[in-house]
Amino acid sequence: MGKMEQEPEVETLANIEGVIGLTLTPETKQFFEIDEEEMFQTGHHVHKWLSWKKVKLHIFMNEDRSEFFPYYDTIKYYPDVTMLLGSDPRKETGHDYFICLTVEARNNVLNPPKKKKVALDLKQQQEQIWNEMASKAPRKWRGYGSELEVNDENVIDSRPLLSVQVYRYRQHFGSECKFEDAPKDSPSFKASFKSEPVEQYPCIQTVEVDRAVQVMPQKKETSTQTGFCFKRNKMIQYNTQSITENNVANIMGSKKIAKFFKKVTPRLDKVLQQNEMVDLLHDDYRNLKCKRGHEMEFSTESMLLQEYQTYADFKHSKGRTVTTMMFHPVLEDVVVMATAVDLTWERRIDAHSKSLMEPNYVLFWDLRDSAHPQIMLDAPADVFSVNVNPSDPHLVCGGCANGQIAFWDLGRTYFELRAKIQDRGNLSAADAKTKRPSFLDKLKDSAESLACPLIPIAGLSNLDMSHKRAVSSVSWIPPHIEIGKNGMVYDNLIGRSVQFMSVAGDGTLRLWDIRPQKKPGQAEEDDEDLNKDVIKVNKWAHLENNQWKYHFRYSMEDNSGGPMFATTIRICEKRPEGKDPKEEVPAIQKSSIDDDSNENPEALDDPKPVAPKPKRVGALVQNLSALTTIFIGTEAGAIGLVDWLRNKEGVISPDFGNKIITNVYLSTFHHGAITSITKSPFYPELLLVVGGGTISIWKETCPYPIFCSGGFDVFPWCAIWSNSRPAVFYVGNREGSVSIWDLMDRSNGPVMTQPITNVRITGIGIPKIAASASKNQYLAVTDSDGVVLVLLLPRFYARPLPNEDHVVRELMNREDSRMTAWVKEMEERSDKIQSVNYSWQQSRVTKTPEETNREEIEQEGRLNEEYQHFVEFEMSIIGDLKEGEPELPTMDTQISDEFDAMILDAQRLEAEEEGEEEDDDSPDDDYDDYNAFDDDDDDDYDQFRYK
Amino acid sequence: MLQSNEVEEAIKRILSHKGVVGLVVINHEGIPIKSTMENALSVQYAAQVTQLLDKSRSMIKELDSNNDLTFIRLRTKKHEVLVCPEKDYAMIVIQNPTES
């Protein structure tokens, strides 16, 4: 048993498990031989080893009086032979002594855990690690694309930040405030948004927008000081000096001026002649550039059409034939396209039930996005014709295969599309590089483009009031006029197109009005009240539910009185003379397109632009001469100028009940249905017509073509004028090729024919806005497989040649005069034939049998006489070999042989038409003759045709 | 009167030239006497051309006092202005030579 001293413990004994405090009686101390003094000498714990057996003995001897008795159960199982007892001078356990009941407790007391040292080690270790890290040089940072996104999220100041100092005079503190309405033109007034109930737009989901706008008007303070100016005491008003007429007469009569003229005129003449002969400042280089075949200029450039992009929607257009395609009149780069099942009439009937089930769409394509159409219009049936309103480009009308007229309002979708296209323009103009779309944006964009907006139909005509066959063409009435119920033409004060015409294969022409029609029984006041009170949920409600009826209807007849089946129409847009047709767009129309109010989609909800009551406010248009005519092409290949208002003499018939259109002229020239009529952008009176495999150019006023092509090895189907060169037009052929015609180069055939697809070409289009020379020029072609092909035109066709305008004008005038002369000659000849015919008939009809008998006898006598004369004549020759005068032919034989055949034919015709021939004064007479002559004289006719 | 006819003939002949747009005869004060153009325009031409004439004539005289100005051809973007001065009168002809 030894004693040892320990270092002061950190932990108190009470915390150690198995250490029990004891208070020992003096007997116990004696028993264990514990020296009291020695144990408490130092003030620290002093340990003393007790024999385990001795402890047990103490318990056995003293039983419950023993201090160790309460812990007997633990002591009983003590594993070692000695137990540790220690003094506790600081009474940590509450007693003088303590005893360790377990071995662990004993070890803990003897070797308390060295916590302090371990903590110190940890600290050192950490420091070491830090030192290590500090000694390492950082690696160079390498970007893996994340920095772009970071950059995109960065907010960069586009301008130096404005520092605003707001101050208030102390004297104003706590004073009263006055709030007033801001003046209307103040800049802070502009941000106002009308709130509309969301229910009004069932297809639009409301999304919460987290956005705040604060408008801070830029403040500018300037001051000027007027400079010093000299004071003026005098002011002068002056008038131009002039000489009185008497004086002028005097001067002009004087010798002086005569002398002056004598001196001056030779000099002037010389100079003027010089100018005429040589244009000194003629720019040769400018013209050099455009000369065709100038290899220097064009060696690098291709003269061929290059394919730019193909647009096809596999779901909605693939495998269907494109019926119409047009460039949007306002948005460049947008193409509108309608498709139909590519079947013949009989097959279509067979497959009727199937095609009824298929959805029909009119597609809007953006030339920049070849994957998805931008807008789809839902159509009830196959759409055969589509036209976009020129003044309100969000309105679209179309004609369906079942004869119904459909009407769509793109509304907000149009403005979104327009904004998208405009934004794109701005973006590319600004800096495309800095604004690279991030991945997220791309993802968003693609998601947006996938969700192509589907526009429901806004109006559908009543089936009974619709055409009986497929609508072949629709055309908006120009925005400056409007047509009344009786066909009269009025000035359109709104300046917007609200009416359109349609023709179909049922021989009728119908006019449609998109405004609500006033009901006959309803008083005007009621109408107004209704408009005020009823909140219009759908402003096109009047066009729905089978209510839409045509404004008026005309049936068309050809010259023989049969129905005329029109295929295409072009409304003549000639306006008052003295105005340039290019600058013709009325100011109102322009403003309605570019108006700021249209920027705000809210303006659309205003029913004002399209729903005024059909109250007649505009004045009657004065020059009715040119406005009531339509250029029309028929299924039979005839071209006509028809007038819906006036009769043939150009007089407006007093009763407006005329339901049959007057044909100003109608001439059959093509040998098949007219498939395309397009108006020249340079000369509005020139029309390009394709039909029956030939191409012709017409002037609106002439009843015959001023230019026509011969037959080709290809079958032209559609054609369009170039928008940049007056002499060029492009023709799409049924064989899938595109031909380019250049009248400056040759007029007997196309300059170039290039195969494009292996299916039929059904339509051809060119943007309305002529591209500038620097930009690419596009030509869009549609085929019967539902594909829009956009081709890049060669540069050569982008700019007019010098004098091209003049040359084309000359050419057209020459052809016009030639045709006029030819027609005149033909008329003269037919007149001659008629007169000969007539006299022949007269001579024949008026003779009674007696007269004929007499004549025969006379003739016989004359012949006999002649014979006698001849015999005498012969005798005289034989007699004296002297020449005699040959006998003159008699009156009857004077009709030359060449007319004989014609006479016979004419006689035959006359016999056939004897019944109809009775009234000679009918106005159709001229045309009949004209046609009859055509039939008779095919050879001449071919000569006239262009080779 | 006979002389007046001659003058009219001369004017007609000048006007018949190709591309001639108008003719103005002015006196030495710059007042138009005879004009084939509208009044306002001819007054403008007369006033401006008179100044030009005085300036150019003085320039020529400064250079060589024996020399004199006989003709001015002013080529502009749109047309050519021909000025033929004499002692008391001057004639202005506006021609559009590129017009064909």
Side-chain angles (χ1 to χ4, degrees):
Chain A
M1 294 211 190
K3 295 162 204 152
M4 51 179 87
E5 285 189 6
Q6 280 291 327
E7 287 209 2
E9 292 173 19
V10 174
E11 282 188 63
T12 56
L13 290 170
N15 291 342
I16 301 168
E17 211 175 22
V19 176
I20 302 297
L22 295 171
T23 303
L24 301 179
T25 54
E27 291 88 349
T28 315
K29 283 178 194 164
Q30 213 174 6
F31 180 77
F32 283 107
E33 298 169 345
I34 293 168
D35 190 354
E36 186 91 332
E37 277 179 32
E38 196 185 295
M39 291 301 273
F40 289 94
Q41 201 176 17
T42 56
H44 293 300
H45 300 288
V46 177
H47 298 150
K48 187 175 169 64
W49 294 103
L50 302 182
S51 166
W52 174 58
K53 280 180 184 171
K54 213 172 179 177
V55 173
K56 266 170 83 176
L57 184 72
H58 186 260
I59 292 167
F60 286 138
M61 278 163 62
N62 299 317
E63 290 196 355
D64 55 351
R65 277 181 292 114
S66 164
E67 290 88 342
F68 302 104
F69 182 73
Y71 313 107
Y72 178 65
D73 283 350
T74 324
I75 291 166
K76 201 164 62 181
Y77 296 107
Y78 191 76
D80 211 341
V81 285
T82 50
M83 294 180 79
L84 187 72
L85 180 96
S87 63
D88 189 6
R90 279 170 291 180
K91 298 215 172 172
E92 286 166 21
T93 54
H95 300 276
D96 291 330
Y97 294 91
F98 67 89
I99 186 159
C100 300
L101 293 179
T102 56
V103 180
E104 288 84 7
R106 192 189 68 191
N107 291 341
N108 273 342
V109 170
L110 292 178
N111 303 306
K114 293 175 180 173
K115 275 196 175 169
K116 242 185 179 171
K117 208 179 175 185
V118 169
L120 211 72
D121 283 351
L122 267 174
K123 217 175 178 179
Q124 270 177 359
Q125 235 172 6
Q126 239 166 10
E127 257 175 30
Q128 211 172 2
I129 289 164
W130 286 340
N131 286 341
E132 254 175 39
M133 281 167 75
S135 65
K136 269 183 192 167
R139 265 186 305 165
K140 204 175 179 186
W141 183 82
R142 271 189 282 170
Y144 290 107
S146 64
E147 80 276 13
L148 295 174
E149 287 187 44
V150 172
N151 280 349
D152 277 341
E153 296 296 321
N154 271 353
V155 180
I156 300 158
D157 289 346
S158 59
R159 56 170 169 77
L161 288 177
L162 293 174
S163 62
V164 180
Q165 192 181 16
V166 181
Y167 63 90
R168 194 164 192 199
Y169 290 117
R170 196 180 170 82
Q171 61 195 28
H172 293 160
F173 280 9
S175 62
E176 276 181 11
C177 290
K178 263 188 195 172
F179 293 105
E180 283 173 356
D181 289 342
K184 256 193 178 175
D185 49 356
S186 95
S188 59
F189 198 78
K190 279 186 181 167
S192 71
F193 294 91
K194 217 160 82 182
S195 77
E196 291 285 342
V198 184
E199 293 79 46
Q200 206 161 339
Y201 307 99
C203 56
I204 297 173
Q205 286 182 339
T206 44
V207 179
E208 202 173 33
V209 183
D210 185 14
R211 181 186 293 164
V213 176
Q214 194 171 10
V215 178
M216 172 67 201
Q218 279 196 344
K219 211 170 180 181
K220 211 175 175 184
E221 208 171 285
T222 54
S223 65
T224 56
Q225 197 167 13
T226 49
F228 176 77
C229 64
F230 292 100
K231 284 175 183 164
R232 310 223 178 261
N233 297 328
K234 268 195 253 174
M235 297 294 267
I236 297 171
Q237 276 191 327
Y238 65 90
N239 200 4
T240 47
Q241 272 183 310
S242 58
I243 297 173
T244 56
E245 279 185 30
N246 275 341
N247 273 346
V248 167
N250 279 343
I251 292 169
M252 293 305 278
S254 66
K255 266 190 183 175
K256 237 178 172 179
I257 197 119
K259 215 170 150 192
F260 162 72
F261 265 86
K262 252 182 206 164
K263 271 187 181 173
V264 158
T265 39
R267 278 188 253 162
L268 261 177
D269 275 343
K270 197 178 159 193
V271 170
L272 288 169
Q273 271 169 5
Q274 275 178 4
N275 275 348
E276 266 173 52
M277 279 188 286
V278 187
D279 189 4
L280 274 178
L281 303 181
H282 186 75
D283 188 0
D284 283 327
Y285 289 107
R286 186 174 170 276
N287 300 333
L288 184 71
K289 191 173 159 49
C290 283
K291 283 281 186 296
R292 186 188 154 79
H294 213 279
E295 306 307 329
M296 229 165 61
E297 180 69 27
F298 291 106
S299 56
T300 52
E301 277 187 49
S302 167
M303 288 299 287
L304 294 174
L305 298 164
Q306 291 172 338
E307 193 169 323
Y308 173 69
Q309 191 73 268
T310 313
Y311 304 88
D313 192 273
F314 286 90
K315 232 182 189 168
H316 307 303
S317 75
K318 198 80 183 156
R320 294 159 68 87
T321 182
V322 179
T323 50
T324 32
M325 180 268 299
M326 65 181 291
F327 271 85
H328 198 278
V330 177
L331 298 179
E332 45 181 337
D333 295 359
V334 171
V335 172
V336 185
M337 170 180 110
T339 57
V341 186
D342 189 14
L343 292 175
T344 57
W345 175 243
E346 283 82 9
R347 300 276 304 278
R348 185 185 282 272
I349 293 172
D350 289 344
H352 186 57
S353 53
K354 186 174 167 270
S355 61
L356 263 184
M357 297 300 290
E358 281 178 8
N360 290 286
Y361 299 109
V362 175
L363 305 177
F364 277 59
W365 287 99
D366 182 0
L367 292 193
R368 300 285 182 88
D369 185 359
S370 64
H372 313 286
Q374 298 300 307
I375 304 176
M376 296 198 300
L377 309 182
D378 190 17
D382 283 349
V383 177
F384 269 65
S385 48
V386 162
N387 215 326
V388 179
N389 190 325
S391 61
D392 292 283
H394 59 278
L395 305 180
V396 180
C397 69
C400 301
N402 58 3
Q404 276 181 304
I405 297 293
F407 173 75
W408 295 274
D409 183 3
L410 304 188
R412 277 154 192 263
T413 322
Y414 167 74
F415 290 99
E416 277 164 18
L417 179 63
R418 194 178 69 167
K420 192 172 152 193
I421 285 168
Q422 280 173 351
D423 283 354
R424 197 173 56 202
N426 294 341
L427 203 78
S428 62
D431 199 357
K433 277 177 193 170
T434 53
K435 273 254 174 185
R436 200 132 44 105
S438 73
F439 177 70
L440 269 176
D441 277 349
K442 275 182 194 162
L443 205 69
K444 213 173 96 191
D445 281 355
S446 66
E448 266 174 13
S449 59
L450 276 175
C452 171
L454 179 65
I455 307 293
I457 194 156
L460 191 61
S461 63
N462 186 335
L463 203 55
D464 292 332
M465 294 291 172
S466 301
H467 286 285
K468 302 289 175 281
R469 279 179 63 188
V471 181
S472 48
S473 182
V474 285
S475 189
W476 287 91
I477 302 287
H480 61 287
I481 55 165
E482 98 180 68
I483 297 166
K485 202 80 179 170
N486 45 24
M488 292 296 273
V489 180
Y490 298 91
D491 270 331
N492 188 345
L493 291 186
I494 330 158
R496 294 186 171 195
S497 292
V498 287
Q499 291 169 320
F500 58 91
M501 279 190 178
S502 65
V503 286
D506 59 353
T508 58
L509 176 140
R510 289 163 206 241
L511 186 90
W512 306 83
D513 199 320
I514 56 171
R515 295 169 303 179
Q517 299 299 303
K518 199 167 65 176
K519 284 179 188 107
Q522 216 163 13
E524 235 169 68
E525 287 82 11
D526 293 352
D527 229 14
E528 255 171 48
D529 289 346
L530 265 175
N531 280 347
K532 271 177 197 165
D533 295 344
V534 178
I535 302 159
K536 281 206 167 179
V537 176
N538 181 1
K539 59 180 168 173
W540 304 115
H542 56 277
L543 303 181
E544 280 181 343
N545 302 330
N546 237 359
Q547 286 172 0
W548 199 15
K549 292 166 186 171
Y550 53 78
H551 200 51
F552 65 74
R553 185 187 79 128
Y554 281 118
S555 48
M556 294 180 286
E557 287 184 357
D558 59 12
N559 288 335
S560 60
M564 192 158 72
F565 303 121
T567 52
T568 32
I569 49 168
R570 282 283 173 271
I571 295 167
C572 300
E573 283 184 54
K574 221 184 284 171
R575 287 121 190 213
E577 281 173 25
K579 272 190 183 175
D580 188 359
K582 276 178 205 165
E583 295 166 10
E584 201 39 72
V585 192
I588 321 164
Q589 187 198 342
K590 266 185 189 161
S591 69
S592 72
I593 296 169
D594 308 325
D595 203 358
D596 276 2
S597 68
N598 272 9
E599 297 284 349
N600 183 3
E602 306 290 340
L604 268 183
D605 306 333
D606 191 10
K608 197 168 66 187
V610 275
K613 289 188 301 297
K615 204 201 244 169
R616 199 60 62 213
V617 273
L620 203 65
V621 169
Q622 287 304 310
N623 66 330
L624 283 169
S625 57
L627 283 165
T628 58
T629 47
I630 307 166
F631 200 74
I632 212 156
T634 70
E635 275 178 20
I639 290 290
L641 188 73
V642 299
D643 197 316
W644 73 76
L645 191 57
R646 293 166 306 141
N647 60 15
K648 209 143 200 177
E649 282 76 41
V651 182
I652 297 168
S653 49
D655 53 331
F656 298 120
N658 178 20
K659 287 291 175 202
I660 292 168
I661 264 182
T662 326
N663 296 331
V664 179
Y665 61 80
L666 183 76
S667 35
T668 310
F669 186 78
H670 291 273
H671 306 293
I674 306 297
T675 48
S676 150
I677 298 177
T678 40
K679 203 171 274 190
S680 167
F682 295 93
Y683 319 105
E685 76 278 5
L686 277 190
L687 291 139
L688 183 65
V689 176
V690 181
T694 50
I695 302 163
S696 62
I697 296 174
W698 295 65
K699 237 178 185 174
E700 262 170 19
T701 45
C702 300
Y704 34 80
I706 58 171
F707 166 84
C708 46
S709 72
F712 307 108
D713 46 350
V714 290
F715 193 92
W717 188 255
C718 48
I720 193 146
W721 288 97
S722 165
N723 58 6
S724 50
R725 285 192 50 189
V728 174
F729 54 90
Y730 312 104
V731 181
N733 300 313
R734 280 269 287 272
E735 284 75 12
S737 57
V738 168
S739 310
I740 300 178
W741 284 69
D742 187 353
L743 297 180
M744 293 289 279
D745 189 7
R746 67 186 81 150
S747 56
N748 58 339
V751 176
M752 186 188 81
T753 302
Q754 189 183 340
I756 302 293
T757 62
N758 45 15
V759 285
R760 299 196 318 269
I761 283 180
T762 57
I764 194 162
I766 206 155
K768 277 217 167 144
I769 312 131
S772 53
S774 58
K775 260 178 149 182
N776 287 329
Q777 239 200 336
Y778 300 114
L779 176 74
V781 167
T782 57
D783 67 13
S784 59
D785 205 21
V787 177
V788 182
L789 287 140
V790 172
L791 308 166
L792 269 181
L793 286 170
R795 274 277 180 80
F796 178 65
Y797 297 107
R799 218 176 78 169
L801 301 182
N803 275 342
E804 177 162 355
D805 177 71
H806 179 65
V807 168
V808 173
R809 231 176 252 278
E810 284 281 288
L811 176 74
M812 292 305 164
N813 285 342
R814 202 167 59 233
E815 291 296 319
D816 190 10
S817 55
R818 193 177 65 82
M819 285 305 294
T820 318
W822 182 78
V823 167
K824 213 172 175 185
E825 197 192 315
M826 284 294 125
E827 273 169 8
E828 271 170 19
R829 282 176 73 174
S830 69
D831 277 353
K832 208 169 174 183
I833 289 166
Q834 210 178 16
S835 66
V836 168
N837 214 343
Y838 183 72
S839 69
W840 187 83
Q841 207 183 17
Q842 283 295 102
S843 67
R844 187 153 178 212
V845 169
T846 50
K847 279 169 195 164
T848 55
E850 280 175 22
E851 277 176 326
T852 46
N853 270 344
R854 206 195 308 150
E855 207 141 279
E856 272 173 20
I857 290 159
E858 273 177 17
Q859 180 110 358
E860 222 165 287
R862 205 158 52 225
L863 282 173
N864 277 336
E865 210 177 324
E866 264 177 47
Y867 183 67
Q868 285 298 324
H869 275 289
F870 177 68
V871 170
E872 276 174 29
F873 172 63
E874 225 173 13
M875 289 308 285
S876 70
I877 289 172
I878 293 162
D880 50 19
L881 293 168
K882 211 179 167 188
E883 278 186 21
E885 288 273 300
E887 197 74 21
L888 281 166
T890 53
M891 280 299 290
D892 277 1
T893 50
Q894 242 174 8
I895 301 164
S896 60
D897 290 342
E898 61 170 309
F899 283 128
D900 274 354
M902 297 181 195
I903 292 164
L904 278 173
D905 277 349
Q907 188 192 2
R908 189 167 40 78
L909 267 175
E910 207 115 59
E912 282 170 13
E913 296 176 2
E914 211 149 14
E916 300 167 23
E917 201 62 25
E918 278 174 11
D919 64 345
D920 271 347
D921 297 330
S922 83
D924 291 345
D925 217 11
D926 287 350
Y927 287 95
D928 283 346
D929 287 338
Y930 180 79
N931 288 342
F933 200 80
D934 264 359
D935 295 336
D936 290 343
D937 215 333
D938 263 340
D939 292 349
D940 281 9
Y941 183 69
D942 278 345
Q943 274 174 9
F944 140 70
R945 283 167 56 162
Y946 241 77
K947 285 157 204 173
Chain B
M1 277 289 87
L2 228 155
Q3 280 140 357
S4 177
N5 275 344
E6 265 176 39
V7 166
E8 293 294 331
E9 281 295 311
I11 289 174
K12 256 185 208 164
R13 209 170 60 238
I14 290 166
L15 284 177
S16 69
H17 274 282
K18 209 167 140 194
V20 172
V21 181
L23 176 147
V24 188
V25 180
I26 58 173
N27 66 4
H28 64 280
E29 286 173 306
I31 300 167
I33 296 165
K34 178 84 188 171
S35 169
T36 60
M37 298 189 293
E38 58 180 293
N39 197 28
L41 192 63
S42 50
V43 166
Q44 287 286 325
Y45 263 110
Q48 304 300 335
V49 166
T50 316
Q51 286 182 31
L52 178 71
L53 267 182
D54 290 345
K55 188 80 192 160
S56 25
R57 186 176 278 140
S58 71
M59 183 200 97
I60 297 295
K61 290 268 184 194
E62 291 268 323
L63 288 172
D64 181 357
S65 56
N66 292 331
N67 206 350
D68 200 2
L69 181 75
T70 58
F71 209 93
I72 301 179
R73 296 175 73 162
L74 274 181
R75 183 63 179 235
T76 63
K77 230 186 212 173
K78 285 181 182 169
H79 41 240
E80 188 160 310
V81 183
L82 312 172
V83 185
C84 195
E86 269 302 314
K87 212 172 82 191
D88 289 322
Y89 304 103
M91 187 182 285
I92 308 163
V93 174
I94 294 119
Q95 192 194 18
N96 188 359
T98 51
E99 189 188 75
S100 43

